[in-house]
Amino acid sequence: MAVAAHRVLGDRIHSGVVIGLGPADVRDPFRVIHAEHPQPGEGSLAAGRAALDIGRSASPEDLLLVLLSGGASSLMAAPADGLSADDKRQATAVLLCSGADIHALNTVRKHVSAVKGGRLAAASPARCLALVLSDVVGDDLSVIASGPTVPDASTYADAVGVIDRCGGRASYPAAVVAHLERGVRGELSDTPKPGDPLLARSTAQVIGSRATAIRGGVAEASNRGFQVVQLEGPIVGEARFSALEYFHRAAAAAVAVPGPCCIVSGGETTVTVSGAGRGGRNQEFALALVERLAALQRPAVLASVGTDGIDGPTDAAGAVIDGSTLTRGRVRGVEPSAFLSTNNSYAYFAMLGDLIKTGPTGTNVGDLQVFLLG
């Protein structure tokens, strides 16, 4: 995104920062900061400070151009006054392990941050334009990357409600709980709300989303000779349960299609971690369907992947299964149910060589499922 902006705008860009997981092929006037995901690290903190510095140093005649892709909530972090980076990391870890969806997760993030929830644009005297690649189902601009340039309708009370539902206040750092409670009492300024004059000169637009990835999958499957079915509606919810619902919908859709069929869908599920294993939502989604594919009466292959190439805290984008997966596992003396019960999908698929490893793709528009039936 930065390369494209530089190609179009050239020397009209007088300063900039590019924040990502790895090297970026950009030149002056950009500064590159390597940040961390899915948990913010020292690079993320440096990135948050750099973004705020650029915004604050801009003049009213400038345009603050903000190019966002999924993952920015972790990649660009700036704890609110009185909170440490460890406070934020620990709170995020509890939320992730509690199965909080992106809306709930980012409601809390926005209220413990100095850069999220419209605060980046509010800190700048410049006009602000955000162009956004969405990894959020529904493309809510206030949720994508925790909405650093747009109004936020959520409140401190909403954030407290999230932590009460997701583990309870005792599970979170005391400083985070105290900060949110002070906000509820009106002792802290809330995030800028719709109509706030601080954001009157800020606009945002989604330029790519889950639908973009699905269109790409549909086009590629058609080019390869498949009859293509696109499942309507996003795939969301707890991964292991939404996988079963997905399977019934996909199987019903395939009945009416003679010959080779490709079913394409997208969305973003969650995982409530109860075991000590390792995996991600796409791997768990696939693991929950191993026995279902084995029972099908026609050849089938299913893959579920994160479009960013990163599934949870692993080096895999997701996993692929087919009708032989169950048998190949049993030859090694393992059952998918045992690995599912401990959230250990990565180990199961690593044993079988069925992890999908693309490396980071550099952008994120959610998850993609591709189901092939012979």
Side-chain angles (χ1 to χ4, degrees), residues 115-143:
V115 71
K116 299 175 172 62
R119 296 187 192 273
L120 175 60
S124 179
R127 291 176 300 121
C128 179
L129 171 63
L131 301 179
V132 183
L133 291 171
S134 171
D135 64 332
V136 172
V137 172
D139 300 337
D140 185 337
L141 284 163
S142 71
V143 178

Side-chain angles (χ1 to χ4, degrees), residues 37-86:
H37 183 276
Q39 282 279 40
E42 292 306 312
S44 305
L45 297 174
R49 290 191 296 269
L52 285 168
D53 286 345
I54 287 175
R56 289 166 177 158
S57 65
S59 77
E61 289 71 40
D62 287 328
L63 173 68
L64 178 64
L65 179 61
V66 181
L67 307 174
L68 294 174
S69 180
S73 293
S74 173
L75 294 168
M76 185 175 67
D81 288 344
L83 297 179
S84 70
D86 282 342

Side-chain angles (χ1 to χ4, degrees), residues 225-304:
F226 288 92
Q227 297 185 69
V228 185
V229 176
Q230 179 181 327
L231 286 189
E232 296 301 321
I235 308 302
V236 295
E238 186 73 23
R240 65 181 66 194
F241 302 127
S242 62
L244 302 179
E245 179 184 348
Y246 159 88
F247 181 81
H248 292 306
R249 288 176 58 201
V255 167
V257 182
C261 172
C262 176
I263 299 171
V264 182
S265 61
E268 188 162 283
T269 60
T270 59
V271 173
T272 301
V273 179
S274 57
R278 185 170 176 236
R281 59 185 180 269
N282 288 285
Q283 295 160 62
E284 186 145 319
F285 185 96
L287 186 59
L289 293 176
V290 168
E291 293 184 2
R292 300 301 174 109
L293 255 66
L296 276 179
Q297 300 302 307
R298 59 193 290 191
V301 181
L302 182 144
S304 185

